[in-house]
Amino acid sequence: MPSATFPKRITLLGSTGSIGTQALNVVRAQPGRFTITALSAHSNAELLIQQAQEFRPAAVVIGDESKLGQVRAALAHQPETEVLAGPAALADVAARPDADIVLTAMVGYAGLLPTVRAIQAGKDIALANKETLVVAGQLITDLVRQHGVRLLPVDSEHSAIFQCLVGEEQNPIEKIILTASGGPFRGRSREQLAQVTKAQALKHPNWDMGAKITIDSASLMNKGLEVIEAKWLFGLRNEQIDVVVHPQSIIHSLVQFEDGSLKAQLGLPDMKLPIQYALGYPQRLPNEFPRFSFLDYPQLTFEPADTGTFRNLALAFEAMRQAGNAPCILNAANEVAVAAFLRDEIGFLEMSEVVETSLARVSYLAAPSLDDYVLTDQETRRVAQELARARAV
Ligand code: NDP
Ligand code: MG
């Protein structure tokens, strides 16, 4: 087992979000172990400036080009930090030679091209941005092999599985079981789901996350994306992936081996642990995070996922079986549907309708290239936006 070399130089894409800010907390709490090479935000210039002043990276990227002047002016007295803007700059920064690992903590399809560039430049990837593996799992895992880099999961379920597999290199997986909290609407009927509001959907029982993944968790699309993410991270056949609802979110996921033995990883729901594990890998770093006690959780419970009510999970399994560009269509349609729901334009159940109809309408490709994924994403957004507009209230 290789040992970790510290300090590790981190490029943190999406530093102003839920994962990004928690990653910076991990870095602050581990003095001498990590340095920050680059930071990026989409539009939150104020927080990006503060972070840049504290961590003094070699580069920052603001996605929204209209805010470049503001960030440049604020960092004018910090000549060591280059200030850039726009998606092309983001991809360039992901590939800069002065980082060891790129933590992809931006949300959505926007993670794809920077992640491709980082892998091509030989960077290890700490992957929070699951959408990248959903959209282009085959392409990304091929690139990872070709460039000999590590793809380290940050998603808590995948981190759990990854941790269970340490020392098991000789032992094939029989199956994995991804746990799901069930979200705020567990147990509701479709009639009840038709009435739920954005505010209710944004209240996750166990995790405090960005808006998009919180809606995905309420609709079970997040679990569907995670099923596809797991397939690629762990090289699984579709039928080797199960989902079980576990409302307490203490068991973060499980691996079953060929002798029937199950290994699980447990802990309080706190993303700082999987973030730290990915950044520190292969070393476990001491920390002050609150510890789990069984006595505080006398009951850990389990139930099947209701894919009849929560259609998104069934749609994601179906897109995975179809393969090709189907998961890319699923993802793009979902991004459009979630954004429309967050603008109060469509209802909760209509999100699945937009995804399902997009999957039926957008042209299927069995073996897409990177360019094909870019075109599929664009075409799907057009189709899904039209579908969402037709349903807008
Ligand atoms: P947030 O919405 O909290 O943060 C997203 C980050 O990405 C922000 O820094 C945001 O900048 C930036 N961003 C937004 N849009 C773009 C874009 N088009 N291009 C580049 N950057 C952009 O999301 P989360 O931190 O919750 O999630 C990030 C990723 O991690 C997602 O893929 C999610 O699925 C995954 N993940 C998150 C978990 C969590 O607990 N939050 C758990 C497991 C996985 P700005 O602030 O300026 O808008
Ligand atoms: Mg997760």
Side-chain angles (χ1 to χ4, degrees):
M1 160 88 50
S3 62
T5 316
F6 296 111
K8 271 191 204 174
R9 301 167 303 171
I10 304 169
T11 285
L12 171 45
L13 306 181
S15 60
T16 50
S18 161
I19 294 288
T21 52
Q22 293 183 81
L24 290 177
N25 284 337
V26 167
V27 169
R28 280 189 194 97
Q30 299 285 341
R33 288 216 166 89
F34 303 113
T35 60
I36 298 292
T37 303
L39 296 169
S40 86
H42 187 56
S43 62
N44 189 345
E46 290 76 17
L47 184 54
L48 182 66
I49 291 164
Q50 269 179 34
Q51 292 175 341
Q53 288 167 339
E54 179 182 352
F55 291 96
R56 310 195 87 80
V60 298
V61 183
I62 181 85
D64 179 348
E65 300 182 39
S66 73
K67 298 200 168 163
L68 176 61
Q70 181 191 348
V71 182
R72 279 220 169 120
L75 298 178
H77 303 296
Q78 197 172 307
E80 71 269 37
T81 304
E82 192 179 349
V83 182
L84 303 158
L90 189 66
D92 288 344
V93 160
R96 283 169 80 114
D98 47 359
D100 303 305
I101 186 163
V102 175
L103 171 51
T104 63
M106 69 289 252
V107 60
Y109 169 86
L112 177 63
L113 295 178
T115 308
V116 166
R117 289 285 301 283
I119 297 169
Q120 287 169 335
K123 311 290 170 205
D124 287 339
I125 305 292
L127 183 111
N129 178 254
K130 65 190 87 186
E131 292 91 344
T132 285
L133 270 191
V134 171
V135 168
Q138 181 77 62
L139 184 140
I140 293 287
T141 47
D142 286 351
L143 279 176
V144 162
R145 246 189 312 275
Q146 197 183 322
H147 293 275
V149 301
R150 287 173 174 151
L151 192 52
L152 301 158
V154 169
D155 215 344
S156 57
E157 295 78 0
H158 305 74
S159 176
I161 292 164
F162 188 71
Q163 294 181 52
C164 291
L165 291 174
V166 170
E168 301 282 3
E169 292 72 19
Q170 306 305 309
N171 296 317
I173 297 171
E174 188 165 85
K175 71 172 183 182
I176 64 161
I177 303 170
L178 291 177
T179 52
S181 72
F185 304 138
R186 183 173 60 88
R188 304 263 178 116
S189 65
R190 287 186 69 77
E191 293 67 38
Q192 290 170 322
L193 286 184
Q195 309 300 328
V196 299
T197 64
K198 173 175 90 178
Q200 292 169 318
L202 283 171
K203 276 208 186 77
H204 195 277
N206 302 342
W207 300 96
D208 183 12
M209 310 178 285
K212 192 255 177 184
I213 183 176
T214 304
I215 301 302
D216 284 347
S217 299
S219 72
L220 291 204
M221 180 57 94
N222 182 52
K223 208 49 55 181
L225 301 180
E226 290 184 356
V227 165
I228 302 173
E229 181 186 13
K231 173 190 172 72
W232 295 111
L233 275 171
F234 306 113
L236 301 170
R237 296 186 310 279
N238 300 340
E239 59 280 8
Q240 287 178 293
I241 308 170
D242 278 357
V243 171
V244 67
V245 173
H246 165 46
Q248 298 79 21
S249 298
I250 295 298
I251 298 182
H252 295 309
S253 280
L254 308 94
V255 181
Q256 183 172 308
F257 294 95
E258 288 184 316
D259 60 356
S261 185
L262 278 164
K263 276 169 84 172
Q265 186 260 346
L266 285 72
L268 291 170
D270 179 352
M271 285 308 297
K272 289 198 297 303
L273 182 55
I275 292 168
Q276 181 188 290
Y277 189 76
L279 294 179
Y281 181 82
Q283 201 167 319
R284 290 189 183 276
L285 305 174
N287 61 38
E288 302 295 323
F289 305 158
R291 269 40 178 170
F292 166 75
S293 163
F294 276 106
L295 304 182
D296 298 331
Y297 289 82
Q299 275 203 319
L300 297 181
T301 61
F302 305 92
E303 55 195 75
D306 180 356
T307 48
T309 304
F310 294 89
R311 290 280 303 136
N312 279 349
L313 182 54
L315 292 172
F317 267 104
E318 185 48 36
M320 177 172 70
R321 279 183 218 107
Q322 286 176 21
N325 65 344
C328 176
I329 301 170
L330 174 96
N331 178 71
N334 182 59
E335 288 189 25
V336 169
V338 170
F341 177 72
L342 284 171
R343 289 191 304 266
D344 289 318
E345 290 169 8
I346 62 172
F348 189 81
L349 290 177
E350 284 160 344
M351 288 193 286
S352 308
E353 291 172 23
V354 168
V355 173
E356 185 159 20
T357 312
S358 299
L359 277 166
R361 289 214 186 144
V362 177
S363 343
Y364 176 77
L365 296 170
S369 66
L370 182 56
D371 288 346
D372 292 329
Y373 285 124
V374 174
L375 293 173
T376 298
D377 180 78
Q378 288 168 358
E379 186 191 345
T380 307
R381 280 169 200 273
R382 266 194 309 275
V383 169
Q385 248 136 23
E386 228 169 79
L387 292 166
R389 259 196 301 275
R391 285 166 174 75
V393 282

